[in-house]
Every structure is written in structure tokens, then in C-alpha cells.
């Protein structure tokens, strides 16, 4: 993962754990992602995305494909693993 996590808000008390993350991307750009783990589909799903303060809806594939060279699921999973470890949070997928 090329982006660095700068700020995190983690809300495990929701039905689906909710993650809000601000990342510093290569070349100093800023990426904001709000995502959750959806138990029904057993996957992390982006809810809101903003790149350099421009809203992108829930679309993240353009960034993960072009910059990170990975899938959205792999990218969000890597971020979530770091956050879950930091907050000592475990759940069964």
C-alpha cells in the first residue's frame, strides 16, 4: 500500500463496523474513505470517497487500480487489518 494512514475514526458498535480514514497518497494528495464491513456479503464496501476534497461517491476502483495496483477489496482489507489491530478488534468474517 502506497498511501499512508493519517487519521482514523473507528466505530465498531454499529451493526456493520464503520471505518473513516484519511490517507496521504503519493505526490501529497489526500484520499478520504468511509467504508464498512458488510456481513451479508462478507466484504468491505466503500460508502463515501473523496480525493483532494472532490467527492467521488462510493467509487474507489479508479484509485486502487491506477495508483495502488490492487483491487478495492484488497485495499480496504489492508487498511481495516491495520485499524483492527490498533483497536484490538476481532470479528468473524
Amino acid at each position: 500500500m502506497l498511501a499512508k494512514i493519517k487519521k482514523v475514526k473507528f466505530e465498531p458498535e454499529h451493526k456493520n463496523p464503520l471505518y473513516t480514514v484519511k490517507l496521504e497518497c503519493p505526490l501529497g494528495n489526500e484520499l478520504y474513505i468511509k467504508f464498512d464491513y458488510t456481513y451479508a456479503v462478507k466484504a468491505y464496501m466503500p460508502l463515501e470517497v473523496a480525493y483532494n476534497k472532490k467527492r467521488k461517491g462510493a467509487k474507489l476502483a479508479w484509485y486502487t487500480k491506477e495508483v495502488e495496483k490492487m483491487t478495492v477489496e484488497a485495499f480496504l482489507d489492508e487498511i481495516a487489518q491495520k485499524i483492527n489491530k490498533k483497536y484490538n478488534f476481532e470479528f468473524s468474517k
Side-chain angles (χ1 to χ4, degrees), residues 49-57:
V49 177
Y51 188 70
N52 288 335
K53 299 186 181 181
K54 293 182 183 176
R55 292 182 177 207
K56 301 288 186 179

Side-chain angles (χ1 to χ4, degrees), residues 12-76:
E13 65 276 0
H14 291 276
K15 179 181 175 187
N16 296 325
L18 186 63
Y19 304 81
T20 305
V21 183
K22 189 181 285 188
L23 302 150
E24 183 180 320
C25 304
L27 304 176
N29 296 323
E30 185 177 277
L31 180 66
Y32 163 88
I33 309 169
K34 184 175 185 177
F35 66 100
D36 71 355
Y37 180 80
T38 306
Y39 289 102
V41 294
K42 298 182 180 176
Y44 292 101
M45 306 292 282
L47 303 171
E48 293 178 34
V49 177
Y51 188 70
N52 288 335
K53 299 186 181 181
K54 293 182 183 176
R55 292 182 177 207
K56 301 288 186 179
K59 295 177 179 150
L60 184 59
W62 60 272
Y63 175 80
T64 59
K65 184 178 178 182
E66 292 175 20
V67 179
E68 298 287 344
K69 309 289 189 230
M70 59 175 57
T71 65
V72 172
E73 175 63 25
F75 182 66
L76 294 178

